[in-house]
Amino acid sequence: MATRNRTPLYRKYRDALRNVRVTSPSSHHHGGASSSGSGGGPVIELVNASLLHSNRSYTPLSTEDPSNSSNRGAVTVGLPPAWVDISEEISANTQRIRSKMSELFKAHSQALMPSFGDGREHQHAVEVLTQEITDLLKISEKRLQKLSASGSSEDSNVKKNVQRSLATDLQKLSMELRKKQSAYLKRLRQQKEDGLDLEMNLNGSRSEQEYDDFDDIGFSDQNVSKLKKREAFTREREREIEQVVESVNDLAQIMKDLSVLVIDQGTIVDRIDYNIQNVSSSVEEGFKQLEKAERTQRKGGMVMCATVLVILCFVMLVLLILKTILF
Amino acid sequence: MVVVSVARDYVGRMLQDISGMKVLVLDSQTVSIVSVVYSQSELLQKEVFLVELLDSLSKEPMAHLKAIYFVRPTSENIQHLRRQLANPRFGEYHLFFSNILKTTQIQVLADSDEQEVVQQVQEFYADFCAIDPYHFTLNVKLNHIYMLPTVVEPHSSQIFCDRAVDGISALFLALKRRPVIRYQRTSDIAKRIAQEIAKLMYEHESGLFDFRRTEISPLLLIVDRRDDPVTPLLNQWTYQAMVHELLDIQDNKVDLRSVGKVPKDQQEVVLSSEQDAFFKANMYENFGDLGMNIKRMVDEFQQVSKSNQNIQTIEDMAKFVDNYPEYRKMHGNVSKHVTLVTEMSRIVEERKLMLVSQVEQELACNGGQVAAFEAVTNLLNDESVSDVDCLRLVMLYALRYEKESPVQLMQLFNKLASRSAKYKSGIVQFLLKQAGVDKRTGDLYGNRDLLSLARNMARGLKGVENVYTQHQPLLVQTMENITKGRLRDVDYPFVGNHFQQGRPSDVVIFIVGGTTFEEARAVAMNNAANTGTRFILGGPAILNSNRFLKDLEEAQRIARSSSGI
């Protein structure tokens, strides 16, 4: 895979030509523009940078030569459209979701580990994290709907594509989350069943012993309290499972909403040339419609005008005739 | 190295180093080049949110986007670029060219870049359309030019040659090799292209092509389509070739709009061996086996959809939602292949292609002139056989029995002309003039020397598995000769004084005038069998019989009008 970098040669020619241009008097206005731009340039660049180059550290005083950056400042006076903020926010959210997810998986494995102490705090952590992630997903999805296409054709295309890419990200995340969660759920259920079996066995053998010891006493206080505890424990587990199921359902809803936006891979929609064709044909179509509308509008106005004039003429004629007849 | 992955790597490298929101600007050729190897969703992953064509850019300023241009270094493209650099719309410009830039072109660009928006200028040699791992095309529109002598249309002929040279040299740059070059002696155009490539690789840009020397240089063989005019005239019965023959594949896409009553999302479908596992497994299967495999796929799908129907518990639901994207993809794929096969079997039925193809294969593979004449006459009398199929039958007969039975050939010509006025103009004679027995180098019918005659007899005795796919393109023989080191220097001379030492392990065969999917299949089969030599096949276009006949007609028209003057 050979490549050849022609940038140095290009730079050489460009610099040579710039020197020619600077010495020639005709380029005077050009120099003026760049010097006036240098005042506002860096500030605008800074704003730009904070919005766009989030993953690239920005140095206000870059090592590039100053005339270059000031020139670029003059060019990039147009700030990015407002929807960029939304997309930035969503991608920040996905980042947060990602980090939360890894925390959650750790918590899952801890919660499932048999421990001597009360595993409750782990389980609590799992609950909280799950809730947080689901909320984040929901919020991001809501914001995504706001990115719906509007404005000029080109811009709306960009927006649509941004929306698609974010939707794909979100879908992937929610899929991953659901998979892990159902795995967790399964393990939890299994543990519950195992636990019950174990308890039954223990109960059985011990109660026999107890029967041997205290022939006709029946349930001891100790036993009753144990039983209650166990019941509470099972109820707790039940609640957890319900919660997880609920969040699975939530995720399913999100999935359904997102799947409208996500591109099916391997289909014609996923072809680059198909998308270009579509865009150009829809732009053409729009242009035609506009022309047609203009034509009909103009035609309508003209026809209206003419009819009014003709009617007026007629009325005037009648008046004139009446006038000559009557007077 | 396979051509698809090389092209993919180029595109990937273009996009990966530039952070932030990007717009990709392509020209009409690079759109196909990028589209066959990269998908829209992959572009989105690389933060490319807009794709535009160089010549239809709007004026709207979008300074928050960085522009990546990937265009061919043609003079029109440079002019477009010059205008766009003078009034920049985007924040940054990264220029990638698919081939070698001239110094003057760089100067022109530098001159127009007054605001210094261009960040880099690079040459990335992805100047070919990688259809399959071992098959590429250059998508040349005016493909008929190769049949005309240079003096008839010197300008178009130069453009044609330049495109071929560009495409082939880019492929070798991408593979990082410098080949030894051979060409088919009897073809002027093959010789010309071979010499121009040699000049480029060993003189003008010898520094660029000076790669680490390997033991054995790869081989570039340039042959002429007219050496094997039979293959593009035959009906095809393996999946990919058949779809191309009956429905036309363009850049791995099939347009089904003319078919009627297809759902809206299936009006255009993608047939790519890279993205579609079922297609990859079946693209070289014959029609019968394909039918069986499709039935199996439909059965599997029914199983899945049945299990999706009875959702009772929450768990079922969760499972369904998990598998839903997979399910949808499968659904689209199943209906795509079923639509294609249904449509093709309708055409086969309608045009009686089973009957026609049997005679075609007899004509192409076995002797027996009397029986062949009878069969062709019978089909010419049959009203339900389409005119195009008749023309092809007569052409195949003419190519085979040109010298043996001129009288009967005349009878067939007359019959054809009386059947359809369109074919009075002597297109079959034009074909014979272009690709007759006197012009051909290779032993197309395997009847020139005793050895191949004997081999043919042996095959005849053994019997064939499938009557419809018994034909083997001439290319198979050529490949065999290359792997065995038997390709004759007299017929396929070397260019310059760079000769082959030992057997080459990589061979690129370029067919001037276009490749067929039947040949691509032969190449893929050969590579899969792992004989130690790997072949890559390419040409200016991918032919089916329609395209071949159209090129022939076009060339005939021009030849006639130029001789008239």
Side-chain angles (χ1 to χ4, degrees):
Chain A
M1 224 182 52
T3 62
R4 182 157 61 166
N5 191 354
R6 303 307 287 266
T7 319
L9 189 66
Y10 180 84
R11 286 245 166 85
K12 205 181 87 193
Y13 285 135
R14 192 167 66 180
D15 292 345
L17 284 162
R18 185 175 53 210
N19 291 337
V20 174
R21 234 176 264 134
V22 166
T23 50
S24 74
S26 65
S27 69
H28 218 72
H29 67 279
H30 180 72
S34 72
S35 70
S36 74
S38 65
V43 180
I44 291 165
E45 275 250 304
L46 206 118
V47 175
N48 252 348
S50 65
L51 285 169
L52 285 172
H53 315 306
S54 53
N55 40 1
R56 188 218 245 182
S57 69
Y58 177 76
T59 46
L61 286 172
S62 59
T63 48
E64 289 172 71
D65 76 27
S67 74
N68 190 355
S69 74
S70 74
N71 255 337
R72 206 145 34 96
V75 174
T76 53
V77 168
L79 285 170
W83 57 261
V84 174
D85 291 347
I86 302 179
S87 80
E88 294 275 306
E89 188 192 321
I90 297 172
S91 46
N93 272 351
T94 47
Q95 279 304 326
R96 270 169 64 200
I97 292 173
R98 228 168 248 143
S99 65
K100 286 244 156 82
M101 292 265 263
S102 56
E103 268 178 61
L104 177 68
F105 301 150
K106 239 179 263 162
H108 269 173
S109 54
Q110 272 171 353
L112 286 171
M113 240 174 330
S115 59
F116 292 112
D118 207 358
R120 205 157 290 168
E121 73 239 48
H122 289 312
Q123 276 155 21
H124 188 66
V126 167
E127 271 164 39
V128 170
L129 273 171
T130 314
Q131 198 55 46
E132 272 176 3
I133 292 173
T134 320
D135 285 349
L136 269 176
L137 275 172
K138 263 192 210 158
I139 291 170
S140 307
E141 200 247 329
K142 282 252 165 59
R143 303 290 287 169
L144 200 62
Q145 303 288 355
K146 272 201 186 147
L147 262 181
S148 57
S150 64
S152 64
S153 64
E154 294 247 302
D155 195 42
S156 77
N157 275 325
V158 178
K159 221 189 285 184
K160 205 172 74 195
N161 280 327
V162 169
Q163 202 180 13
R164 275 177 172 173
S165 124
L166 289 171
T168 315
D169 274 357
L170 283 180
Q171 199 190 37
K172 231 182 258 162
L173 278 177
S174 58
M175 286 272 277
E176 202 182 332
L177 178 64
R178 214 194 3 262
K179 270 206 184 111
K180 294 279 176 183
Q181 226 165 337
S182 28
Y184 175 65
L185 196 68
K186 217 179 192 174
R187 292 278 297 279
L188 213 60
R189 279 207 178 132
Q190 226 167 16
Q191 272 192 359
K192 193 176 118 187
E193 274 163 24
D194 288 354
L196 276 182
D197 282 353
L198 206 69
E199 277 164 30
M200 292 289 258
N201 283 344
L202 277 176
N203 251 354
S205 58
R206 203 184 298 162
S207 53
E208 255 173 57
Q209 254 184 4
E210 277 164 9
Y211 280 128
D212 285 349
D213 288 348
F214 321 94
D215 253 324
D216 49 0
I217 294 174
F219 277 169
S220 67
D221 281 355
Q222 210 185 358
N223 253 349
V224 171
S225 75
K226 246 185 209 161
L227 212 65
K228 268 188 183 152
K229 224 186 214 166
R230 254 168 228 149
E231 249 169 34
F233 183 68
T234 1
R235 231 177 285 132
E236 180 88 351
R237 280 271 150 127
E238 203 73 59
R239 198 173 56 79
E240 267 165 32
I241 288 170
E242 254 165 41
Q243 237 169 22
V244 173
V245 166
E246 211 170 276
S247 88
V248 165
N249 288 345
D250 275 355
L251 285 175
Q253 186 57 39
I254 292 174
M255 272 286 287
K256 222 173 82 192
D257 295 342
L258 286 180
S259 67
V260 184
L261 293 169
V262 172
I263 301 177
D264 284 336
Q265 271 164 32
T267 59
I268 190 75
V269 192
D270 203 14
R271 286 277 296 206
I272 295 163
D273 45 6
Y274 176 82
N275 280 295
I276 294 185
Q277 263 170 29
N278 251 19
V279 167
S280 62
S281 67
S282 67
V283 166
E284 250 165 54
E285 190 71 10
F287 188 66
K288 258 184 219 154
Q289 292 284 337
L290 214 66
E291 265 186 340
K292 203 169 142 195
E294 201 188 338
R295 225 178 308 133
T296 50
Q297 200 178 24
R298 197 185 295 155
K299 209 200 278 168
M302 224 121 88
V303 166
M304 187 72 106
C305 203
T307 29
V308 167
L309 282 176
V310 164
I311 290 167
L312 274 178
C313 277
F314 192 71
V315 169
M316 290 300 170
L317 199 73
V318 169
L319 282 177
L320 200 72
I321 290 167
L322 278 179
K323 193 183 157 199
T324 45
I325 290 172
L326 289 179
F327 306 101
Chain B
M1 189 94 75
V2 288
V3 282
V4 172
S5 63
V6 179
R8 268 186 68 83
D9 286 351
Y10 271 129
V11 180
R13 259 176 69 179
M14 237 177 270
L15 305 176
Q16 73 185 8
D17 291 335
I18 300 158
S19 67
M21 290 205 260
K22 295 180 276 282
V23 50
L24 183 63
V25 183
L26 304 165
D27 67 22
S28 54
Q29 290 266 313
T30 48
V31 163
S32 325
I33 294 172
V34 175
S35 295
V36 291
V37 296
Y38 236 70
S39 70
Q40 181 80 11
S41 47
E42 283 170 315
L43 279 189
L44 291 182
Q45 265 171 26
K46 304 249 177 192
E47 292 185 280
V48 176
F49 293 129
L50 191 63
V51 185
E52 296 207 330
L53 284 176
L54 182 67
D55 51 2
S56 61
L57 280 175
S58 74
K59 298 277 181 294
E60 199 181 324
M62 300 191 125
H64 53 289
L65 297 180
K66 294 174 184 170
I68 298 174
Y69 280 70
F70 179 55
V71 292
R72 303 200 62 238
T74 60
S75 48
E76 302 99 74
N77 285 347
I78 297 287
Q79 289 309 317
H80 278 301
L81 257 173
R82 203 172 57 89
R83 248 169 278 143
Q84 287 168 22
L85 287 179
N87 296 306
R89 287 172 58 208
F90 303 110
E92 285 178 11
Y93 283 74
H94 302 261
L95 308 183
F96 295 89
F97 291 92
S98 66
N99 222 309
I100 298 164
L101 275 167
K102 293 191 196 81
T103 322
T104 48
Q105 290 176 322
I106 300 179
Q107 270 168 336
V108 167
L109 289 177
D111 185 32
S112 60
D113 184 20
E114 286 190 31
Q115 312 202 23
E116 311 207 343
V117 283
V118 175
Q119 306 291 313
Q120 53 177 331
V121 180
Q122 303 261 12
E123 288 169 6
F124 272 39
Y125 307 104
D127 208 4
F128 44 84
C129 205
I131 295 295
D132 285 317
Y134 301 107
H135 189 196
F136 71 94
T137 172
L138 302 179
N139 276 337
V140 177
K141 291 245 156 48
L142 302 173
N143 185 37
H144 59 271
I145 295 293
Y146 78 100
M147 294 192 216
L148 301 165
T150 322
V151 283
V152 178
E153 289 223 355
H155 181 63
S156 330
S157 152
Q158 188 60 46
I159 292 175
F160 181 82
C161 281
D162 285 349
R163 183 68 189 99
V165 171
D166 282 352
I168 298 169
S169 55
L171 177 68
F172 279 99
L173 282 170
L175 299 174
K176 281 195 161 185
R177 308 293 287 278
R178 176 155 60 182
V180 295
I181 303 162
R182 301 177 77 167
Y183 62 94
Q184 181 193 323
R185 185 180 47 82
T186 45
S187 167
D188 290 336
I189 188 100
K191 183 176 175 183
R192 184 169 162 202
I193 291 172
Q195 282 173 342
E196 282 184 27
I197 290 175
K199 210 188 270 171
L200 180 80
M201 287 180 176
Y202 289 98
E203 287 172 37
H204 296 317
E205 294 286 351
S206 61
L208 187 61
F209 280 91
D210 193 15
F211 299 112
R212 183 174 49 86
R213 206 153 288 217
T214 45
E215 300 275 297
I216 306 160
S217 303
L219 171 67
L220 167 64
L221 177 65
I222 298 174
V223 294
D224 196 306
R225 176 76 270 163
R226 286 170 292 180
D227 213 31
D228 177 11
V230 169
T231 310
L233 284 172
L234 293 173
N235 267 304
Q236 300 296 329
W237 296 97
T238 53
Y239 193 19
Q240 191 184 29
M242 197 173 172
V243 174
H244 189 50
E245 176 64 40
L246 301 179
L247 300 168
D248 199 4
I249 303 177
Q250 182 66 41
D251 293 338
N252 285 347
K253 271 183 318 188
V254 186
D255 192 346
L256 292 175
R257 258 168 291 194
S258 55
V259 172
K261 64 166 179 146
V262 281
K264 205 156 185 299
D265 58 328
Q266 298 278 338
Q267 281 184 345
E268 239 184 328
V269 295
V270 183
L271 272 187
S272 161
S273 58
E274 294 292 301
Q275 288 169 353
D276 183 344
F278 180 82
F279 184 65
K280 189 176 185 173
N282 290 285
M283 59 198 279
Y284 301 131
E285 292 292 333
N286 69 46
F287 199 49
D289 295 340
L290 173 71
M292 303 284 278
N293 290 347
I294 283 200
K295 191 178 171 298
R296 203 170 303 136
M297 182 168 74
V298 170
D299 286 345
E300 257 168 53
F301 178 68
Q302 270 175 344
Q303 213 86 63
V304 172
S305 61
K306 211 178 277 166
S307 77
N308 277 342
Q309 264 164 11
N310 48 22
I311 292 171
Q312 278 161 356
T313 61
I314 298 257
E315 253 169 86
D316 282 349
M317 200 165 88
K319 213 192 270 166
F320 171 73
V321 177
D322 271 345
N323 298 330
Y324 183 66
E326 199 72 9
Y327 171 76
R328 225 165 64 144
K329 200 173 163 186
M330 197 170 167
H331 174 75
N333 215 14
V334 169
S335 69
K336 172 174 87 185
H337 290 293
V338 170
T339 312
L340 283 176
V341 171
T342 320
E343 178 57 20
M344 285 197 299
S345 43
R346 190 187 65 78
I347 295 174
V348 167
E349 196 85 356
E350 192 182 277
R351 285 170 47 186
K352 290 200 172 174
L353 288 184
M354 295 290 235
L355 213 65
V356 174
S357 179
Q358 201 172 346
V359 178
E360 282 177 2
Q361 295 281 337
E362 281 296 309
L363 280 170
C365 306
N366 304 320
Q369 180 251 327
V370 180
F373 177 73
E374 201 171 309
V376 174
T377 325
N378 278 342
L379 284 176
L380 281 180
N381 286 330
D382 192 337
E383 280 302 313
S384 54
V385 176
S386 74
D387 290 348
V388 174
D389 290 324
C390 288
L391 174 66
R392 282 155 66 183
L393 282 168
V394 175
M395 280 182 165
L396 288 169
Y397 183 87
L399 286 169
R400 176 118 213 189
Y401 302 111
E402 184 187 352
K403 292 279 182 297
E404 288 173 38
S405 62
V407 181
Q408 280 157 324
L409 198 56
M410 276 319 285
Q411 282 178 354
L412 288 180
F413 285 166
N414 291 336
K415 202 159 206 121
L416 185 70
S418 68
R419 226 191 114 117
S420 161
K422 216 172 98 194
Y423 302 133
K424 269 197 185 126
S425 51
I427 186 142
V428 187
Q429 284 92 329
F430 184 71
L431 173 71
L432 287 182
K433 218 163 88 190
Q434 286 287 331
V437 68
D438 304 330
K439 301 268 178 177
R440 296 197 295 259
T441 307
D443 190 4
L444 182 58
Y445 293 110
N447 51 8
R448 286 215 184 145
D449 55 46
L450 254 158
L451 194 76
S452 44
L453 259 182
R455 206 183 307 146
N456 248 12
M457 291 270 273
R459 205 179 61 165
L461 288 177
K462 240 191 292 172
V464 281
E465 277 178 26
N466 190 331
V467 208
Y468 300 108
T469 54
Q470 56 179 318
H471 173 255
Q472 281 198 326
L474 180 68
L475 191 76
V476 173
Q477 232 180 83
T478 315
M479 286 196 294
E480 201 180 303
N481 285 341
I482 291 172
T483 40
K484 291 189 176 150
R486 276 200 318 231
L487 201 64
R488 294 205 302 188
D489 290 0
V490 191
D491 292 336
Y492 300 96
F494 289 90
V495 181
N497 50 2
H498 310 279
F499 297 106
Q500 191 93 54
Q501 273 106 31
R503 264 188 292 139
S505 59
D506 284 292
V507 180
V508 174
I509 300 180
F510 189 83
I511 304 181
V512 184
T515 54
T516 62
F517 278 119
E518 187 183 347
E519 284 153 340
R521 175 174 181 265
V523 167
M525 294 295 186
N526 182 79
N527 290 343
N530 203 6
T531 52
T533 308
R534 214 175 28 176
F535 291 89
I536 293 174
L537 179 71
I542 300 179
L543 299 176
N544 50 17
S545 61
N546 266 340
R547 179 78 195 265
F548 185 64
L549 291 177
K550 227 173 71 195
D551 286 347
L552 211 59
E553 274 166 26
E554 192 63 22
Q556 190 197 13
R557 195 180 57 76
I558 295 172
R560 193 176 286 169
S561 69
S562 75
S563 68
I565 295 164

